[in-house]
Amino acid sequence: VFSMMVQKRKKIPVRQKYEWYPRAQASFKVIDSDNDKTCISFKYISPRVPDNMINTVQSWVSDMFANELGFILKRRILMSFRKNEIPLSDLTFDYISSGDSAEDEKYILSYCSKDDDKLKSISLIASIFSDLDKSGADMNEYKIARREYMRYKLSVDPFKTNMSTVNKCISAFLYGSDLASFSSMKSFFSTRRVTDSQELEYFNKFVSALIKKNENLFLTCSTRDQGEYLEEKLENSFNSGWGTEKNRFLSSPKDTLSLAGFPSEKVRLVKTVSEPISGGELWTFSNGLQVIYKYMPSNKGYFDYAFLVRGGTSVLGNLSQGEAAFVGDILQLYDVGGLSANSFRNLLSANGITM
C-alpha cells in the first residue's frame, strides 16, 4: 500500500548555461486594467553574479547596495510627488537577486497614482533617475539609507521560520547561493573596515552602472484609459524628464536644535511607579510628560515607541465621517515643531528613528 503512494522521481532538468543579453533600447508597454488607479513599474536588469562568486560576500554587498538604492529612490519620490501635489500609493522597491532565480537580476520600482498624473509622474521619476546616474547620492543621504538597511535587514533574523530556512536551502541547491548564518552576515557588516567615503564611492559607481536612460529599462503602465499613442507618450514623458535634475536631494541637519521652541533646560525624572496594565513602569518628568517604559530583551538593542493622546480622536472637533482615519498621517504630512513634514522626517531618519 505504501509503495503505491510513492510517486516516481522525475529526472532533474539540466540547468541551462546563463548568458547576458544587454538591451540597448528601453521598452515601454501598456497593459489594460479595470482598476481605477494607474499603476506604473520601472524595471532595470543587470547580469547575474558569476557562479563562482554567488557563494561569497559579493551577494551580500549587492543586496545591501540594491536595498539602499530602494530606500533613496522611495525617499526622493515621496518628497518630489508631495512637492508637485501628485497623490501616490503602493510605492515599493523589489530586488530579485541571483539567489532568487536563474535569470537576470532585477530592480523593480512600482507605484500607483491618478491616471491624469501618469505622464507627469513618469517625468519626475526620470529626473530622479538621471540625477542619481549623473551625481549619485550625497554622504548624508547615503548614511540614512545605510542605517535603514541595517535597521530593517539586520535587526531581526530572517531565518527563524522553517519556511525561510527551506527557501534558503532551495536557493543554495538551485543557484549555488550561500548557506551562511544570520549571525555571520551581521558580523560581516558590523566589523568590515570600509570608510564612509569609500563605501559611498562604490555605491555611486554601482548606481551609475545600473541606471541609464535607454539601456536595460522596462517601463510598464497598467491603466484603464489607454488612449491613442500612449506608449509613445510614456516614452516622451520619460525622455523629457531625464536630465532636468528638478529633485536634487538636500539633507536635513541632524541637530535637533532646528526644532522650534527647543527647551533650554533638560527635563528630569521626578516620579516612577509600577504600571499594572503593561507590566512596566510609569515615568513622570518635570515638564508633565508621562512615559510607560517596559524592558523587552527580545528587541536586541532597539526600542519601539508609541505616542498616545488621551481621549483619542474624540478631542478633535468637527470631524466629518471617515476623516478620523487620516489622523495617523498628520505627523507625516503636516509641519511639526516648526519644521516641514519632509524636514521632520529627514531629522528622524538622520537620528536613526523610524516613524
Side-chain angles (χ1 to χ4, degrees):
V1 174
F2 286 131
S3 65
M4 296 173 63
M5 299 173 62
V6 178
Q7 298 180 352
K8 293 183 179 181
R9 293 190 61 186
K10 296 181 181 180
K11 184 178 180 180
I12 299 177
V14 179
R15 180 182 168 189
Q16 297 291 328
K17 182 180 178 180
Y18 170 77
E19 294 186 24
W20 163 245
Y21 296 99
R23 282 71 166 179
Q25 292 296 324
S27 170
F28 296 86
K29 184 179 181 181
V30 177
I31 298 177
D32 188 21
S33 171
D34 57 359
N35 197 324
D36 292 335
K37 297 184 295 185
T38 293
C39 296
I40 300 172
S41 70
F42 297 79
K43 180 176 71 176
Y44 277 98
I45 61 173
S46 69
R48 292 176 54 79
V49 175
D51 289 345
N52 63 333
M53 298 294 293
I54 196 173
N55 194 22
T56 67
V57 295
Q58 179 174 335
S59 296
W60 296 354
V61 176
S62 296
D63 181 81
M64 179 184 71
F65 280 169
N67 282 279
E68 287 171 345
L69 172 61
F71 288 132
I72 291 174
L73 281 173
K74 290 192 293 184
R75 192 176 183 79
R76 291 193 180 196
I77 290 170
L78 285 172
M79 292 176 62
S80 176
F81 277 44
R82 284 172 178 165
K83 181 180 179 181
N84 290 275
E85 298 183 347
I86 298 178
L88 177 71
S89 67
D90 303 324
L91 176 62
T92 61
F93 181 88
D94 297 302
Y95 167 56
I96 301 177
S97 69
S98 300
D100 296 325
S101 75
E103 301 175 348
D104 303 326
E105 294 204 332
K106 302 178 181 67
Y107 309 78
I108 306 172
L109 175 73
S110 304
Y111 68 94
C112 297
S113 186
K114 292 172 57 179
D115 186 74
D116 295 341
D117 294 323
K118 61 178 178 291
L119 297 181
K120 184 178 180 181
S121 69
I122 289 174
S123 180
L124 289 174
I125 290 182
S127 70
I128 294 173
F129 278 149
S130 65
D131 182 59
L132 283 171
D133 175 37
K134 179 181 178 180
S135 306
D138 65 29
M139 179 60 74
N140 290 329
E141 180 181 27
Y142 179 72
K143 284 183 176 181
I144 292 174
R146 183 176 59 186
R147 184 178 292 113
E148 290 182 342
Y149 176 79
M150 298 299 178
R151 172 69 177 91
Y152 286 107
K153 301 287 287 189
L154 299 179
S155 61
V156 180
D157 188 348
F159 307 123
K160 281 188 174 181
T161 65
N162 291 337
M163 179 61 72
S164 59
T165 302
V166 169
N167 289 336
K168 189 174 181 67
C169 293
I170 291 174
S171 175
F173 175 76
L174 293 178
Y175 315 119
S177 60
D178 68 272
L179 285 172
S181 66
F182 174 72
S183 59
S184 298
M185 182 187 301
K186 191 172 184 178
S187 175
F188 167 77
F189 282 110
S190 59
T191 59
R192 61 200 173 96
R193 296 182 179 179
V194 181
T195 64
D196 292 339
S197 58
Q198 286 177 323
E199 191 166 287
L200 176 62
E201 179 184 357
Y202 297 148
F203 172 78
N204 285 335
K205 288 182 177 179
F206 164 82
V207 172
S208 181
L210 173 67
I211 297 178
K212 298 297 181 185
K213 182 177 181 180
N214 292 314
E215 299 174 18
N216 305 314
L217 169 64
F218 299 82
L219 189 154
T220 302
C221 177
S222 176
T223 179
R224 172 183 291 182
D225 183 17
Q226 296 193 16
E228 190 175 7
Y229 306 115
L230 181 54
E231 292 181 355
E232 182 178 342
K233 292 178 181 178
L234 298 178
E235 183 175 3
N236 291 337
S237 296
F238 184 84
N239 291 335
S240 65
W242 190 274
T244 53
E245 301 178 11
K246 301 175 183 177
N247 305 280
R248 188 64 185 147
F249 181 87
L250 297 176
S251 300
S252 293
K254 186 176 180 180
D255 193 350
T256 54
L257 290 175
S258 57
L259 289 168
F262 195 87
S264 58
E265 297 181 1
K266 292 183 178 180
V267 298
R268 56 188 177 83
L269 183 64
V270 296
K271 186 179 180 181
T272 301
V273 297
S274 298
E275 207 289 310
I277 298 178
S278 65
E281 297 177 338
L282 178 64
W283 297 349
T284 302
F285 290 88
S286 55
N287 63 352
L289 183 69
Q290 291 185 318
V291 176
I292 298 175
Y293 172 79
K294 182 178 181 181
Y295 173 70
M296 301 292 290
S298 59
N299 277 24
K300 303 291 184 181
Y302 292 90
F303 70 89
D304 297 317
Y305 63 97
F307 180 73
L308 305 178
V309 178
R310 191 183 301 275
T313 56
S314 64
V315 301
L316 302 176
N318 302 320
L319 286 180
S320 301
Q321 186 175 2
E323 289 183 347
F326 298 96
V327 171
D329 298 323
I330 290 177
L331 294 180
Q332 299 185 39
L333 299 175
Y334 290 89
D335 296 352
V336 178
L339 298 178
S340 68
N342 286 332
S343 297
F344 180 65
R345 189 164 47 253
N346 292 337
L347 176 66
L348 293 181
S349 296
N351 286 278
I353 301 173
T354 302
M355 182 174 67

